[in-house]
Amino acid sequence: MASVFTRIIQGELPATFVYRDSEAVAFMSINPIRPGHTLVVPVAEIDHWLDCPDDLRDHLFGVAQTIGRAIQRAWNPRRVGLSVVGLEVPHLHIHLLPIWSMADVDFSNAARSVDPADLESAAEKIRTELEAMGVSEVAR
């Protein structure tokens, strides 16, 4: 059975995308800890990050760095946090968050419900910065 992320990538379930290439996508978390909380996900369904081939791992972290720079520009946080947890969905994904304190990486603070307009607003901030950076893989 396909993971929820595979179904999102294939267009079966909705998501608010900010980036897409042949190997990776990035979209807004539907349970964000903070506005701007973005997930970088491989197109290939890989459960555990330890099983990710080296070249794909390097690509995913390159995409994460690009998205992280856009988050930095959009929100000007103290840091852009990065986390690979993998308990909630059995499909490798990288969490990126604008953070000002350790409380900003506490998953127990994740929103249970978010207005899709708020996700779109955060996504548009990231897309705008990606375009300003010259990134051609911006997803709208």
Side-chain angles (χ1 to χ4, degrees):
M1 175 189 256
S3 79
V4 66
F5 288 162
T6 296
R7 294 181 64 206
I8 288 169
I9 292 164
Q10 294 174 347
E12 295 174 24
L13 296 173
T16 308
F17 287 88
V18 297
Y19 178 97
R20 181 183 293 267
D21 68 27
S22 63
E23 297 180 277
V25 298
F27 51 86
M28 308 312 295
S29 172
I30 62 168
N31 301 113
I33 298 172
R34 300 217 29 100
H37 184 169
T38 306
L39 305 177
V40 176
V41 182
V43 171
E45 193 168 295
I46 298 168
D47 180 8
H48 198 295
W49 69 271
L50 293 175
D51 298 326
C52 188
D54 295 351
D55 58 338
L56 179 57
R57 177 207 58 219
D58 294 347
H59 180 70
L60 293 172
F61 275 83
V63 170
Q65 188 174 49
T66 297
I67 303 296
R69 286 184 176 130
I71 290 170
Q72 181 71 43
R73 290 169 57 135
W75 280 274
N76 197 30
R78 220 171 127 201
R79 293 275 191 252
V80 175
L82 180 148
S83 177
V84 178
V85 182
L87 294 175
E88 61 281 7
V89 177
H91 189 142
L92 169 61
H93 55 288
I94 300 169
H95 294 265
L96 300 173
L97 310 127
I99 62 172
W100 288 263
S101 73
M102 287 304 293
D104 294 331
V105 293
D106 184 346
F107 282 83
S108 68
N109 293 328
R112 305 260 187 262
S113 177
V114 179
D115 185 330
D118 292 338
L119 293 179
E120 182 56 37
S121 176
E124 191 55 32
K125 289 176 82 167
I126 293 170
R127 290 183 201 117
T128 297
E129 295 302 336
L130 289 171
E131 288 169 342
M133 293 163 50
V135 174
S136 62
E137 296 88 353
V138 175
R140 293 199 171 273

